[in-house]
Amino acid sequence: MRLADKVTLITGASSGMGRAAAHTFAREGATVVVTDVEDADGTAVAEEIRATGGQAEYRRLDVTDEASWTAAIADVLERYGKLDVLVNNAGISGTFDPDLTSTEFYDRLMQVNARGVFLGIKHGAAAMSGRGGSIVNLTSISASIGQPGVHLGYGASKAAIKSMTTTASVHYARDGIRVNAVAPGVLPPMRTSRGSTDPVWRAKQIEGIPMGRAGEVQEVADVILFLASAESSYVTGVEILADGGFTAQ
Ligand SMILES: NC(=O)c1ccc[n+]([C@@H]2O[C@H](COP(=O)([O-])OP(=O)(O)OC[C@H]3O[C@@H](n4cnc5c(N)ncnc54)[C@H](O)[C@@H]3O)[C@@H](O)[C@H]2O)c1
């Protein structure tokens, strides 16, 4: 078991890659604190894990709200005495608002995607201090390349996460806390996706992927597992692409 006795917290874990990572962590022996703002789905994920013999609980955590972080981390430390792994996975899609220059949506993207990860690193690292740990952030290929139909601020919010990953990796290295990122390419649409659910948009994107297909959530969860586990003990400050070769061209 690659995460035996580890206490882990995953944000946005009620669906998609966060949900897949929660199941994967539990199979590898971790206690998983499943968090999200979608309470019914998050509760269901924790129940699914427990039904298969894993250890999980659901807790509401709005990543934009600092008080929500303080309460969640305090709760984890009180219940389990430590936090070993934090996955900053929660996010909203850049294809939600058809107005790709909406100022209001720019602010929302920055709130959830960038500020959410900033607060996660801040409070997660404080909880890990003195013991060490692993923080895994979800960026995107959009941090590095342009894609049609994606809001101007989405890639910027993900580039902010990419930058915070490298800065935090240096900042916390002597504390034994590793900070890395996973950048998925084209995966199943996010809960908040609109434009990227369009079959024509998707077909065009997939045509441009060297491997000729979209990724599966488990393929990203497996990279998250690698970065969370001791197998990556000398890896910090990197972004691993899981994009079927999209950005290698
Ligand atoms: N799906 C893709 O194609 C793709 C590609 C590249 C990167 N990503 C990134 O991967 C991560 C996971 O994406 P996914 O495809 O699993 O999406 P998803 O929509 O299935 O999951 C994201 C979760 O975050 C939650 N969330 C949204 N706002 C929140 C908030 N304020 N507080 C707490 N939780 C909140 C949602 O409720 C949702 O359950 C995201 O950061 C996303 O930007 C996705």
Side-chain angles (χ1 to χ4, degrees):
M1 297 252 213
R2 295 155 75 183
L3 292 178
D5 302 323
K6 299 293 182 192
V7 176
T8 67
L9 187 152
I10 306 174
T11 67
S14 78
S15 73
M17 293 178 251
R19 176 174 175 274
H23 278 281
T24 303
F25 280 16
R27 279 197 299 272
E28 293 295 336
T31 296
V32 188
V33 181
V34 172
T35 70
D36 208 294
V37 287
E38 296 288 344
D39 298 332
D41 289 351
T43 302
V45 171
E47 277 168 4
E48 285 161 18
I49 290 173
R50 289 198 299 271
T52 52
Q55 295 177 68
E57 62 159 303
Y58 173 72
R59 197 187 196 292
R60 185 181 180 85
L61 167 55
D62 178 346
V63 296
T64 66
D65 176 13
E66 189 149 22
S68 190
W69 272 107
T70 308
I73 296 287
D75 195 36
V76 168
L77 294 180
E78 195 184 312
R79 285 172 73 99
Y80 306 109
K82 61 172 183 164
L83 176 67
D84 298 300
V85 175
L86 168 66
V87 183
N88 286 311
N89 164 80
I92 55 171
S93 171
T95 73
F96 174 76
D97 194 323
D99 176 0
L100 304 183
T101 58
S102 157
T103 307
E104 195 187 12
F105 194 59
Y106 174 88
D107 291 340
R108 186 70 191 149
L109 282 164
M110 289 299 167
Q111 276 287 111
V112 179
N113 295 358
R115 178 184 157 93
V117 172
F118 165 74
L119 291 175
I121 294 172
K122 173 179 171 178
H123 292 278
M128 291 172 184
S129 185
R131 297 184 54 98
S134 171
I135 298 176
V136 183
N137 302 323
L138 271 287
T139 55
S140 166
I141 54 169
S142 304
S144 310
I145 63 158
Q147 283 176 290
V150 177
H151 189 282
L152 276 182
Y154 180 73
S157 73
K158 292 297 185 179
I161 300 171
K162 188 175 172 179
S163 173
M164 282 188 275
T165 300
T166 51
T167 303
S169 72
V170 172
H171 194 75
Y172 296 111
R174 295 288 171 111
D175 249 354
I177 301 167
R178 299 184 295 106
V179 188
N180 293 292
V182 182
V186 179
L187 270 289
M190 296 174 69
R191 198 191 271 281
T192 43
S193 292
R194 297 284 180 276
S196 59
T197 59
D198 173 13
V200 177
W201 186 94
R202 291 191 72 76
K204 218 170 176 138
Q205 292 296 310
I206 288 165
E207 208 178 275
I209 300 172
M211 286 178 71
R213 64 172 177 86
E216 293 171 10
V217 292
Q218 187 61 49
E219 293 177 303
V220 173
D222 288 337
V223 181
I224 296 173
L225 171 63
F226 168 69
L227 291 171
S229 75
E231 282 162 31
S232 59
S233 57
Y234 200 52
V235 179
T236 197
V238 308
E239 181 189 62
I240 299 182
L241 291 154
D243 70 349
F246 200 133
T247 51
Q249 316 171 74

